[in-house]
Amino acid sequence: MNKTNLFGMTLEELEAELAPLPKFRAKQIAAQIYKHGVKKFDDMSELPKALRAELSEHYEVRVADLLGRLDSADGLTSKFLLGLADGAAVEVVLMLHDYGTSVCISSQVGCQMGCKFCASTLKGLQRNLTAAEMLGEIFFANEILGKAVDSVVVMGTGEPLMNYDELIKMLRLLHEDYCLGMSYRKVTISTCGIVPAIKKLRDEKIPVTLSISLHAPDDNLRSALMPINSAFGLKSLLQAGDDYAQATGRRVTYEYILLGGVNDTEEHARRLAKILSGQLANVNLIPFNPVSERSFKPPTNATVKKFFHFLNTHGIGATIRKEMGADVNAACGQLRAKHNQGVFQK
């Protein structure tokens, strides 16, 4: 008999699912699952023994199955391949920073956006993740860490805003006191630029940090690198970003992958500074991380520093991302859920 998974249900959903049990039982079960990380009903000592047996017969608490793990040489990054109930797999990355811990989660199995420099999109989109599956990635990281992570970035495989409803459900559940009670300000959502969904997210009034993948300072180059730009050009995208910043008071981050000889010249920096002038935003520069199937090359260190210096001296706050986990293909643009018979491959 297939059992119903209670993990990922809101309190209201638990109350409805477990009716006619009293509502306080649903609250107890929610606390056991989310606050204490209990997966077996037999271990829920607050519940009567007979109820525990009945729940075990019909329900389960399933998060994810570990298929593989790779740890970076510096010990600061771990990449996990997680198996889902239908046999699909996703990657999640746990990072240890000097300012705290973060987990990078996936929102889809595969990706349909077709960005020319990214490994995640090579095999297209398989399916969306459910809110429970996304939340499960975070709980898996917490279990590995032995405590709750300090922040969450939805920046793994997939385009989060193409899985909008499940994403919002996950964020609201993550924020609930009976779950992890995580502040929205500790969450970053990365998008390649789905303008209608950015506007929708703005109106949700949940002040998550918005990170927009820009990667080019003009429409021609951006369309060549990112097919989504043909649907939502820079003018509409930058306006949506500015509206989001004004509505939430949250500074938008524009991600800019530096591709050697493609978008990394001083003229590119000049155009980038021009289009971002006056916006409540900053730029996160990301030197390209090699992907075997892609022909792009990383920029030189001197080029990165020159680009960075130009932006900062022309009114645009910029940072250079400290890449973590590149030696285990866990850095930006490298995630792909590549596995063979349950064994991770570099």
Side-chain angles (χ1 to χ4, degrees):
M1 181 181 75
N2 290 331
K3 297 182 179 181
T4 300
N5 187 11
L6 297 185
F7 184 85
M9 289 190 182
T10 65
L11 181 58
E12 292 76 16
E13 288 171 337
L14 283 171
E15 289 172 349
E17 176 64 35
L18 299 175
L21 284 179
K23 289 185 177 181
F24 79 89
R25 290 297 186 201
K27 290 181 181 179
Q28 289 177 320
I29 293 169
Q32 290 292 304
I33 293 173
Y34 299 127
K35 286 293 188 184
H36 305 295
V38 179
K39 297 179 183 177
K40 295 182 179 179
F41 295 107
D42 286 343
D43 295 332
M44 297 183 182
S45 56
E46 288 185 338
L47 305 180
K49 190 173 182 180
L51 178 56
R52 280 181 265 166
E54 185 178 351
L55 289 170
S56 297
E57 186 176 347
H58 299 285
Y59 298 102
E60 64 180 353
V61 179
R62 178 174 179 156
V63 179
D65 299 321
L66 177 62
L67 300 180
R69 172 175 181 165
L70 289 172
D71 297 303
S72 63
D74 61 13
L76 298 178
T77 305
S78 295
K79 182 173 74 166
F80 305 94
L81 186 67
L82 301 186
L84 307 176
D86 65 349
V90 292
E91 291 180 352
V92 57
V93 180
L94 179 61
M95 294 164 283
L96 310 181
H97 311 277
D98 53 8
Y99 54 82
T101 57
S102 65
V103 61
C104 176
I105 68 169
S106 298
S107 56
Q108 297 178 311
V109 181
C111 183
Q112 68 192 40
M113 305 317 296
C115 297
K116 304 303 182 184
F117 44 79
C118 186
S120 300
T121 193
L122 286 167
K123 293 186 177 181
L125 176 68
Q126 185 173 335
R127 68 171 176 86
N128 285 331
L129 294 182
T130 65
E133 288 168 335
M134 285 184 274
L135 189 69
E137 295 178 74
I138 301 169
F139 271 73
F140 176 85
N142 291 348
E143 187 174 336
I144 292 293
L145 195 60
K147 62 178 181 177
V149 295
D150 296 305
S151 61
V152 173
V153 289
V154 190
M155 204 177 286
T157 302
E159 165 53 58
L161 297 188
M162 292 297 284
N163 187 14
Y164 188 88
D165 291 342
E166 292 299 305
L167 173 71
I168 296 300
K169 180 181 177 182
M170 183 276 290
L171 291 176
R172 294 196 182 282
L173 181 52
L174 180 67
H175 182 68
E176 291 285 358
D177 286 338
Y178 63 80
C179 191
L180 289 182
M182 179 171 283
S183 167
Y184 289 126
R185 294 175 180 271
K186 297 292 187 180
V187 179
T188 298
I189 305 298
S190 177
T191 177
C192 67
I194 315 297
V195 169
I198 293 174
K199 294 178 179 179
K200 197 173 177 182
L201 182 64
R202 173 199 65 198
D203 295 337
E204 296 284 351
K205 311 237 181 266
I206 51 177
V208 296
T209 298
L210 182 65
S211 184
I212 297 175
S213 296
L214 201 59
H215 310 319
D218 61 79
D219 280 314
N220 287 339
L221 180 55
R222 192 167 189 268
S223 293
L225 295 173
M226 304 176 68
I228 190 63
N229 195 72
S230 299
F232 308 110
L234 280 174
K235 183 177 180 180
S236 64
L237 177 58
L238 294 174
Q239 184 62 58
D242 192 45
D243 289 347
Y244 185 88
Q246 296 303 322
T248 63
R250 304 286 288 160
R251 186 178 296 273
V252 172
T253 296
Y254 286 97
E255 297 169 327
Y256 195 97
I257 289 180
L258 290 164
L259 304 164
V262 176
N263 65 350
D264 62 346
T265 68
E266 184 174 306
E267 178 57 29
H268 290 116
R270 188 183 309 280
R271 284 187 243 159
L272 182 60
K274 183 177 180 180
I275 65 174
L276 293 181
S277 178
Q279 291 223 22
L280 181 62
N282 65 280
V283 175
N284 190 8
L285 298 174
I286 309 167
F288 175 68
N289 295 297
V291 174
S292 58
E293 295 89 344
R294 304 302 195 187
S295 59
F296 297 110
K297 304 296 183 184
T300 65
N301 288 336
T303 297
V304 174
K305 291 178 181 178
K306 187 176 180 181
F307 204 102
F308 168 78
H309 180 71
F310 186 94
L311 292 180
N312 277 305
T313 55
H314 287 77
I316 306 297
T319 56
I320 300 172
R321 180 177 294 179
K322 178 185 176 183
E323 283 303 339
M324 301 179 68
D327 59 332
V328 291
N329 290 327
C332 180
Q334 293 183 318
L335 298 189
R336 66 175 79 206
K338 184 178 180 181
H339 63 106
N340 179 28
Q341 294 180 342
V343 179
F344 245 159
Q345 297 178 341
K346 291 187 181 180

